[in-house]
Amino acid sequence: MFLPALIVLGTPFIAGVFFGPTAVAGVLPGILISGVAMAISSANSGGAWDNAKKYIESGQFTGNDGTVKGKGTNEHKAAVIGDTIGDPLKDTSGPALNILVKLSAIFSLIFANFFD
């Protein structure tokens, strides 16, 4: 956790120290746009993987040959693996990116006078 925190706090700080407040004003929108895009992508893909498992477990999923694919099939096993990946994406990774964006902005505001 030290390295991600260093990147989040260090990027605006280094930009401000070496290139001034104008660079920080350019870095912050980049952090915001990329963070929001990654958070939305993480939440949507995690939810899709979770819903795929639920759909297979409901017994409504049929294969190309018309057979019902439910619990115990290879499709269900693959969906369980997808759900294992999807749960952290939708529950932790997506919301955590919101905190990182806010932390970068607040840290930049705190050191704004130092950058001049």
Side-chain angles (χ1 to χ4, degrees), residues 69-112:
K69 306 286 185 174
K71 285 187 176 182
T73 62
N74 286 333
E75 288 81 0
H76 181 257
K77 291 176 186 175
V80 169
I81 293 170
D83 183 48
T84 304
I85 297 167
D87 277 342
L89 276 176
K90 71 177 174 51
D91 295 337
T92 58
S93 297
L97 286 168
N98 180 31
I99 295 168
L100 293 179
V101 168
K102 287 181 181 179
L103 187 61
S104 298
I106 300 248
F107 190 77
S108 299
L109 285 173
I110 290 172
F111 284 97

Side-chain angles (χ1 to χ4, degrees), residues 42-87:
S42 294
N44 285 339
S45 61
W49 274 338
D50 188 38
N51 289 340
K53 186 188 82 155
K54 290 177 184 175
Y55 182 66
I56 291 171
E57 289 176 348
S58 72
Q60 298 176 0
F61 178 68
T62 57
N64 291 336
D65 57 357
T67 60
V68 175
K69 306 286 185 174
K71 285 187 176 182
T73 62
N74 286 333
E75 288 81 0
H76 181 257
K77 291 176 186 175
V80 169
I81 293 170
D83 183 48
T84 304
I85 297 167
D87 277 342

